[in-house]
């Protein structure tokens, strides 16, 4: 019985580690976003808005970006849960968004991407931990 419990604990711990957020891996996943978005100290709006300071930012509020009415009126304040739901299927989360992206379905990539984008403050600097 002890071996069964130990085995179960090892499996659970391995699963949790596999889904842990990895900002460095998220940087690689961000390559899927770079055609339309930028992030960091030199970030500028492109086809999509720059993503600095995304965690806690209201949807439709990046300066000098022309958002769809759907994004401006979505009522979303970006946080981990909202981002993860959105990035899996943007048009399902915000019908009418002009974001043309099929989404990222892989849970690990989604977790890593959030770890990457959420580390940047509004000025594009990485937040101190």
């Amino acid at each position: 019985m002890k071996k069964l419990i130990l085995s179960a604990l090892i499996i659970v711990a391995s699963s949790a580690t596999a889904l842990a957020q990895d900002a460095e891996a998220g940087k690689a996943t961000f390559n899927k976003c770079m055609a339309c978005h930028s992030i960091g100290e030199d970030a500028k709006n492109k086809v999509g808005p720059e993503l600095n300071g995304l965690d806690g930012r209201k949807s439709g509020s990046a300066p000098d970006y022309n958002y769809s009415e759907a994004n401006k009126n979505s009522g979303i304040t970006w946080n981990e849960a909202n981002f993860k739901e959105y990035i899996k299927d943007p048009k399902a989360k915000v019908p009418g968004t002009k974001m043309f992206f099929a989404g990222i379905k892989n849970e690990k990539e989604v977790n890593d991407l959030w770890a990457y984008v959420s580390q940047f403050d509004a000025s594009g600097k990485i937040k101190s931990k």
Side-chain angles (χ1 to χ4, degrees):
M1 183 66 152
K2 288 182 182 179
K3 286 184 181 181
L4 180 60
I5 292 171
L6 183 58
S7 296
L9 288 174
I10 290 170
I11 291 169
V12 169
S14 297
S15 296
T17 302
L19 292 178
Q21 297 179 346
D22 180 348
E24 199 56 39
K27 183 177 181 179
T29 300
F30 190 75
N31 287 332
K32 297 177 181 181
C33 311
M34 286 180 58
C36 299
H37 296 280
S38 64
I39 199 163
E41 292 185 56
D42 296 324
K44 305 238 181 307
N45 293 326
K46 295 173 153 182
V47 172
E50 55 85 9
L51 298 178
N52 289 331
L54 187 65
D55 190 14
R57 186 167 92 184
K58 297 212 180 298
S59 181
S61 67
D64 303 319
Y65 183 76
N66 185 21
Y67 285 93
S68 66
E69 290 300 314
N71 274 85
K72 286 192 279 190
N73 299 321
S74 69
I76 293 172
T77 298
W78 294 113
N79 61 25
E80 184 172 1
N82 283 328
F83 175 83
K84 288 180 176 182
E85 184 180 353
Y86 182 81
I87 202 64
K88 289 176 184 174
D89 190 352
K91 291 194 180 285
K93 177 76 173 166
V94 181
T97 183
K98 64 183 183 180
M99 183 166 164
F100 184 72
F101 182 65
I104 298 174
K105 311 298 189 227
N106 180 289
E107 198 73 31
K108 174 108 173 77
E109 283 188 78
V110 170
N111 287 334
D112 294 344
L113 183 58
W114 174 252
Y116 179 68
V117 300
S118 66
Q119 69 182 344
F120 291 91
D121 67 17
S123 71
K125 290 184 171 50
I126 293 180
K127 300 173 193 173
S128 58
K129 297 182 183 184

